[in-house]
Amino acid sequence: GIQVEQSPPDLILQEGANSTLRCNFSDSVNNLQWFHQNPWGQLINLFYIPSGTKQNGRLSATTVATERYSLLYISSSQTTDSGVYFCAVERYQGAQKLVFGQGTRLTINP
Amino acid sequence: GAGVSQTPSNKVTEKGKYVELRCDPISGHTALYWYRQSLGQGPEFLIYFQGTGAADDSGLPNDRFFAVRPEGSVSTLKIQRTERGDSAVYLCASSLGLLYNEQFFGPGTRLTVL
């Protein structure tokens, strides 16, 4: 099956810093989603981004489907950004199920 | 409701018992998914419903696990003869399905098998 690898596995930053999280996938995909799992375990949708670039406030994401990677950018980090960030892919149209990476644990210190 | 809801939020049971976990998807979403998340891991797919039928159950680990969605809305995940290894957070998601498949997740049910 498709492999989804996220890096780095852990990231510790000071409030106000910028960060880049990476997601590599081993085969072509139909869709890609980024999630933030907060400390209470809730998965929050950040981006639905099979290709191209999207921005939402301090967050932006870019997926380069032909090169099989996606990047999540967080600018001016806040302590509430702490948690685990997951990338998940849908292998092909109609597959429906998402295959998740192992996540990047982000800790923002005040 | 506004989002996906799951009940109970926590379930503690003894090895060998039967449990049912419930998921109420976003209104109007025809697709419903169950995932399982173990500590320190990403969620793993269990089963997917399109309407009332299970379109893909390839992620169910064995025949102790079963899920239904009789009216195409609420779904129940059923686990028979629970084992300690079944302990995990069980997540439900829903989407409009078919061509637009952005999935939205519920808060999960934390299952602990003693």
Side-chain angles (χ1 to χ4, degrees):
Chain A
I2 191 168
Q3 303 299 310
V4 181
E5 296 182 357
Q6 293 187 242
S7 59
D10 292 279
L11 188 57
I12 301 174
L13 298 171
Q14 292 297 120
E15 202 167 22
N18 301 329
S19 58
T20 300
L21 282 58
R22 187 176 180 102
C23 172
N24 291 335
F25 38 96
S26 61
D27 211 334
S28 59
V29 299
N30 186 55
N31 286 316
L32 185 146
Q33 288 188 244
W34 281 99
F35 297 92
H36 174 211
Q37 190 164 43
N38 66 20
W40 296 270
Q42 175 71 55
L43 279 166
I44 299 165
N45 289 43
L46 298 178
F47 293 101
Y48 176 77
I49 184 168
S51 63
T53 297
K54 291 187 177 180
Q55 179 154 7
N56 184 3
R58 296 183 295 104
L59 274 62
S60 64
T62 296
T63 297
V64 184
T66 53
E67 297 187 19
R68 301 179 184 171
Y69 73 89
S70 184
L71 301 174
L72 177 68
Y73 305 96
I74 304 174
S75 65
S76 304
S77 299
Q78 301 175 357
T79 55
T80 52
D81 294 332
S82 295
V84 182
Y85 288 79
F86 287 104
C87 163
V89 302
E90 179 190 7
R91 171 67 181 89
Y92 53 86
Q93 186 174 330
Q96 298 293 325
K97 62 186 176 186
L98 292 176
V99 178
F100 282 76
Q102 295 286 68
T104 291
R105 180 173 296 278
L106 178 65
T107 302
I108 304 298
N109 291 322
Chain B
V4 179
S5 61
Q6 293 186 245
T7 56
S9 55
N10 282 283
K11 176 71 176 177
V12 179
T13 191
E14 294 180 343
K15 181 175 178 295
K17 300 290 188 182
Y18 168 83
V19 297
E20 290 190 351
L21 312 179
R22 176 189 167 109
C23 172
D24 203 336
I26 293 172
S27 178
H29 281 191
T30 61
L32 184 146
Y33 314 79
W34 285 98
Y35 293 82
R36 179 167 72 173
Q37 186 175 23
S38 300
L39 195 63
Q41 305 292 319
E44 294 181 320
F45 170 79
L46 295 176
I47 186 169
Y48 149 59
F49 289 88
Q50 182 59 47
T52 60
D56 182 355
D57 64 359
S58 61
L60 295 178
N62 51 60
D63 61 5
R64 295 187 297 105
F65 288 75
F66 189 71
V68 296
R69 194 185 185 200
E71 297 178 357
S73 179
V74 170
S75 176
T76 305
L77 178 66
K78 308 180 180 195
I79 310 174
Q80 299 177 321
R81 304 183 305 279
T82 52
E83 300 178 357
R84 293 193 179 90
D86 298 336
S87 296
V89 176
Y90 289 80
L91 295 165
C92 177
S94 69
S95 74
L96 288 171
L98 300 177
L99 295 181
Y100 189 77
N101 188 32
E102 183 176 7
Q103 297 186 24
F104 296 85
F105 282 77
T109 294
R110 181 175 298 278
L111 175 66
T112 303
V113 182
L114 301 177

